[in-house]
Amino acid sequence: MMTKAIFMDNVARQTRNHYIKDMVTAIDEKFPLEECVKKALLEVDREIFVSDIFKHLAYSLDALPMDSEQWISSPLTVAKMTQYLEPRDCDSVLEIGCGSGYQAAVLSKLFRRVFTIERIDSLLQEARGRFKELNINNIISKFDDGNNGWAAFAPFDRIIFSAAPKEIPQVLFDQLAEGGILIAPVEEYGLQTITRFYKRNGNITSETIENCRFVPVVDGKEY
């Protein structure tokens, strides 16, 4: 016999799934999603990554404030950055700027191994707690300045910036696998543009995709 508690849990789960599905549908209407990216978004509950005060906006397409003057990106932006990575048939991805952990959680549904670096210790601890709550076991995280990359696990098939650098450190191009892609919201003259870099025969080429707005990359670590 189903208890009241189990019944209420089932209702809550169905309600969350409905909200997630509506959110992904809204994204798909604005930015047609590949099936693998759509599936990844449907498998991650954004509400878990949103601050308590903004839970009622968790399934909107808005970027929302977090602690330490940071923001959780719009799920539309997360979807775009994920799809621009061209994640099919890739093994590993390095994320610069873990933040809430939402982008890493979505990537974990598409890559066998996700490496994510966060420079603000309190944000990283919160993100790790969320990964544990969701039983995500293929995300490896590190407290460090993301500009250093993560040489111990390089090369990476893909690298993604979840904050805006003014330039890409050469060390990150060095850690990008041959044939790999790096995607970043690069800032130049006060304007941020999502830029996709390709590594072919040791050479780096790039293409600009669209204007965007991210928090800036900051050097160093914050305890």
Side-chain angles (χ1 to χ4, degrees):
M1 181 181 296
M2 181 180 293
T3 66
K4 182 177 180 180
I6 294 174
F7 173 77
M8 294 304 294
D9 284 345
N10 288 339
V11 170
R13 187 180 302 108
Q14 291 172 7
T15 300
R16 286 195 302 272
N17 288 342
H18 175 74
Y19 287 149
I20 296 169
K21 185 176 180 181
D22 283 352
M23 182 189 78
V24 174
T25 297
I27 293 170
D28 196 31
E29 290 173 350
K30 292 178 176 293
F31 179 76
L33 296 170
E34 296 177 0
E35 282 303 313
C36 64
V37 176
K38 183 185 295 186
K39 185 173 183 292
L41 291 165
L42 287 169
E43 291 179 1
V44 179
D45 186 357
R46 187 174 185 246
E47 183 180 13
I48 293 171
F49 298 86
V50 172
S51 301
D52 288 345
I53 194 172
F54 295 112
K55 293 290 189 187
H56 63 293
L57 297 174
Y59 305 105
S60 72
L61 300 190
D62 298 321
L64 298 171
M66 303 190 307
D67 293 337
S68 302
E69 300 181 351
Q70 300 298 300
W71 291 72
I72 177 172
S73 293
S74 160
L76 174 60
T77 300
V78 170
K80 288 181 175 182
M81 294 293 281
T82 302
Q83 191 153 303
Y84 291 150
L85 268 181
E86 300 179 14
R88 287 185 179 277
D89 303 320
C90 292
D91 176 80
S92 63
V93 59
L94 172 66
E95 179 191 29
I96 309 301
C98 180
S100 70
Y102 179 61
Q103 174 73 79
V106 172
L107 294 173
S108 76
K109 308 301 180 182
L110 294 160
F111 292 82
R112 187 173 71 88
R113 298 179 299 158
V114 177
F115 300 88
T116 182
I117 303 173
E118 174 55 52
R119 61 172 293 275
I120 301 175
D121 187 54
S122 60
L123 292 184
L124 182 59
Q125 297 307 321
E126 291 175 3
R128 284 172 170 169
R130 295 175 183 124
F131 300 151
K132 184 176 181 180
E133 179 182 351
L134 293 171
N135 294 313
I136 300 175
N137 300 311
N138 63 329
I139 298 177
I140 304 169
S141 59
K142 179 182 182 181
F143 174 52
D144 198 6
D145 182 338
N147 288 311
N148 299 323
W150 203 336
F153 291 101
F156 302 98
D157 298 315
R158 300 289 187 267
I159 298 176
I160 180 172
F161 276 76
S162 291
K166 292 187 176 178
E167 61 180 356
I168 307 298
Q170 180 60 44
V171 67
L172 290 174
F173 287 133
D174 293 342
Q175 292 177 21
L176 184 63
E178 175 63 30
I181 291 173
L182 184 153
I183 192 90
V186 178
E187 181 175 339
E188 187 174 20
Y189 304 115
L191 179 67
Q192 294 181 7
T193 307
I194 296 176
T195 306
R196 182 160 49 198
F197 298 85
Y198 300 89
K199 188 172 186 178
R200 302 289 187 271
N201 300 316
N203 298 314
I204 302 297
T205 59
S206 66
E207 62 174 334
T208 57
I209 301 176
E210 63 175 281
N211 293 339
C212 60
R213 187 170 182 83
F214 283 73
V215 297
V217 166
V218 178
D219 295 338
K221 297 189 287 186
E222 181 178 317
Y223 292 89

